[in-house]
Amino acid sequence: MSLASALNSARSGLSYTSRWAQTTSTNISNANTLGYARRTPQLATSTMGDPVITGISRAVDASLDRMYRVEAGRTGRQDALAQVLSVHTDVLGDTESTDSMLARLTDFRNSLGLLSLTPADSASQRAAVTDAQDLALALNRANEGLVQARRVAQSGVQQDVAAVNKSLAQIAELNRRIGQEQPGSDLQLSLQDQMTQALDDLAPVIDFTLRTTQSGEVELFTSGGAPLLEGNAPARLSYDAATRSLMAGDVEITPGVDGVRGLSEGTLAGKLGFLTSEAPAMQHQLDEVARALIDGFQSVEQANGGTVGLFTDAGGALGATYAPGLAGRIAVNDAVLPEEGGALWRIRDGMAAAVPGTAGDATIVNQMAAMLDAPMSFDAAAGLGETGTLSSYMSTLIASQQTARSEAEAARDTFSAGAEAVQSRRMGFMGVNVDDELQQLLQIEQSYAANSQVLRVVSQMLDTLLESF
């Protein structure tokens, strides 16, 4: 090897070592930076056989990125569903709760049993009326819990829509800046790190598919294929609370709608799914309990010459059809409430009685008790069976709605564990291992020392040659 060749090799080695040291120090300083992908020098060999760095690459794995974001979206959907369901089920209680509608039904049934033994006793009459009121109030509370869950979900949808629009605008701006930078430059690599973090932040809210252009820009689509971001033009999301429809620009992306290229995972899909599916079904079930109570006692009243029974729809009789929310409107008939101008004895003699009947006559009381113990018909569309006693239907309702919450929580935990496992593998691939980087610094130091030694030797040899002339 000539002196010139040795000099060039040493100079190339120092240049390579300098860039390698810069990359390694950048990795170490960003070891805890969110979204940062480890930098690796891209090596090539010069015509002289010397190593040269042709560029810097980011350690990324598109497959792991996709897997993590899918799991994050699934976790987000189940977590959102579990949270809104907890708002309702915390109020609903379980089958062991002492203040649930099931417990209040049991108290009321026992009060009717005692009243049948002493129908003339005003204290027994008051106890039965009070327990009837407590039963109606328990249904009112359960209904209000569901209403509050709807409010939480509705507010959450609006917040998620705003968050998605903000994220899409941020990603569009990153697209613009990435397209302006030199491929592989430090600034473009930094912008791509920011893009990774922005996409990771978006994944728990909505699921999406991703396409990356040759220049490093991304295009986003819903899991159904509707465009969310093409080029630098994001599709703005909007939500119509009245119709519960979600739009991306002028394209509908509402989850669960047949024929719509919409979302399927993420917190936004979870909250919308609750509003369009779980909440209406649970409302129907609660309303069936209220309907059975009102209708059953109305039948007893009509059999004894009256019209409106002990339980009412906001004070009136139950019609052939009724608006949703009956469980929130059910109330005890004012005819038995002294504070509303009624009289306690009417629980013994009927709501339409003008004057007290025979003091020891428990006929109507026994009819009411027997009605509560007998099988009733329920709407099969509510999904809890067509026949059964009121207490068994209530038990099934409570268990079913509590199970919906526990299943959402279990699914959330399962998907969360999956996301953490994938993220661990992902960070192992793209993250910075400081120990490895420090070992590289030792190699860099050795390489630097070796090339420096070559320069010193070549310099001494040149000095010797020059002195010989």
Side-chain angles (χ1 to χ4, degrees):
M1 177 184 290
S2 67
L3 292 179
S5 297
L7 186 63
N8 288 331
S9 293
R11 185 182 62 184
S12 297
L14 286 175
S15 175
Y16 162 77
T17 303
S18 174
R19 188 65 189 275
W20 186 12
Q22 179 185 354
T23 302
T24 302
S25 62
T26 299
N27 285 339
I28 294 174
S29 64
N30 287 281
N32 296 318
T33 302
L34 288 176
Y36 180 84
R38 185 183 70 258
R39 311 293 198 249
T40 303
Q42 293 179 317
L43 301 179
T45 303
S46 70
T47 55
M48 302 296 295
D50 300 321
V52 293
I53 294 178
T54 58
I56 305 296
S57 64
R58 296 171 67 245
V60 294
D61 187 315
S63 177
L64 288 175
D65 288 348
R66 182 175 62 256
M67 289 170 61
Y68 169 72
R69 290 164 187 159
V70 167
E71 294 301 308
R74 290 172 175 170
T75 302
R77 179 185 179 114
Q78 297 301 327
D79 184 53
L81 183 57
Q83 287 189 34
V84 293
L85 283 173
S86 69
V87 174
H88 167 55
T89 54
D90 284 348
V91 177
L92 180 68
D94 56 36
T95 54
E96 302 300 322
S97 300
T98 58
D99 197 33
S100 68
M101 58 182 173
L102 180 59
R104 294 307 182 189
L105 176 64
T106 301
D107 292 343
F108 177 51
R109 176 62 185 84
N110 291 339
S111 294
L112 288 179
L114 292 174
L115 180 59
S116 69
L117 301 175
T118 56
D121 182 30
S122 61
S124 295
Q125 293 169 1
R126 166 54 74 181
V129 169
T130 298
D131 286 341
Q133 289 179 297
D134 288 344
L135 175 56
L137 287 173
L139 275 165
N140 296 159
R141 285 194 303 271
N143 189 83
E144 181 56 32
L146 188 55
V147 169
Q148 182 60 28
R150 275 194 173 108
R151 293 194 189 104
V152 170
Q154 199 84 263
S155 174
V157 168
Q158 300 289 3
Q159 292 172 4
D160 283 351
V161 166
V164 170
N165 284 331
K166 182 178 179 180
S167 291
L168 291 178
Q170 177 189 4
I171 294 169
E173 174 61 16
L174 288 171
N175 268 347
R176 184 188 67 79
R177 295 177 62 188
I178 287 172
Q180 293 177 342
E181 298 301 324
Q182 181 70 25
S185 65
D186 289 341
L187 182 54
Q188 190 188 61
L189 294 175
S190 177
L191 291 171
Q192 289 174 343
D193 287 341
Q194 295 177 45
M195 179 69 80
T196 295
Q197 188 57 45
L199 293 171
D200 286 353
D201 291 342
L202 181 61
V205 185
I206 61 170
D207 57 330
F208 56 85
T209 58
L210 173 70
R211 185 166 64 204
T212 304
T213 66
Q214 289 184 344
S215 59
E217 300 164 276
V218 300
E219 294 181 338
L220 302 181
F221 305 86
T222 66
S223 55
L228 293 172
L229 173 65
E230 294 181 297
N232 299 333
R236 184 169 182 79
L237 267 62
S238 60
Y239 174 65
D240 187 334
T243 61
R244 298 194 184 99
S245 59
L246 181 68
M247 307 292 290
D250 57 357
V251 178
E252 184 176 3
I253 58 170
T254 309
V257 178
D258 292 338
V260 169
R261 299 182 297 161
L263 307 174
S264 59
E265 303 294 347
T267 57
L268 184 53
K271 293 164 189 174
L272 280 171
F274 172 77
L275 290 171
T276 58
S277 179
E278 282 84 3
M282 290 178 173
Q283 184 70 69
H284 191 181
Q285 292 168 358
L286 285 173
D287 287 349
E288 271 297 281
V289 171
R291 180 206 57 77
L293 268 175
I294 298 172
D295 191 50
F297 281 88
Q298 189 167 286
S299 298
V300 171
E301 184 66 20
Q302 290 172 349
N304 290 277
T307 304
V308 183
L310 176 62
F311 292 97
T312 68
D313 180 358
L318 183 68
T321 60
Y322 57 87
L326 182 62
R329 301 192 302 271
I330 188 173
V332 171
N333 198 324
D334 287 349
V336 297
L337 303 177
E339 61 271 23
E340 300 296 337
L344 292 173
W345 49 263
R346 286 199 178 93
I347 195 152
R348 176 195 65 200
D349 300 325
M351 304 299 111
V355 295
T358 303
D361 186 0
T363 301
I364 293 179
V365 175
N366 286 328
Q367 289 175 351
M368 291 191 292
M371 180 272 299
L372 287 178
D373 293 337
M376 298 179 175
S377 296
F378 297 95
D379 186 357
L384 299 179
E386 298 184 48
T387 60
T389 62
L390 188 57
S391 62
S392 66
Y393 194 84
M394 281 186 179
S395 296
T396 304
L397 180 151
I398 293 172
S400 173
Q401 297 190 4
Q402 288 288 356
T403 297
R405 171 186 175 178
S406 62
E407 286 178 346
E409 291 174 339
R412 174 198 62 198
D413 294 343
T414 298
F415 290 135
S416 178
E420 290 175 3
V422 174
Q423 182 70 336
S424 178
R425 291 174 55 195
R426 186 179 179 222
M427 289 299 99
F429 180 82
M430 68 179 287
V432 176
N433 186 316
V434 176
D435 290 340
D436 289 345
E437 300 299 322
L438 290 175
Q439 289 179 6
Q440 289 189 45
L441 285 179
L442 292 176
Q443 296 175 9
I444 291 169
E445 182 181 4
Q446 294 169 359
S447 176
Y448 180 83
N451 284 289
S452 296
Q453 180 65 24
V454 170
L455 283 178
R456 282 195 297 270
V457 171
V458 170
S459 177
Q460 291 172 359
M461 295 177 68
L462 288 173
D463 289 342
T464 302
L465 287 173
L466 289 173
E467 289 173 356
S468 65
F469 289 102

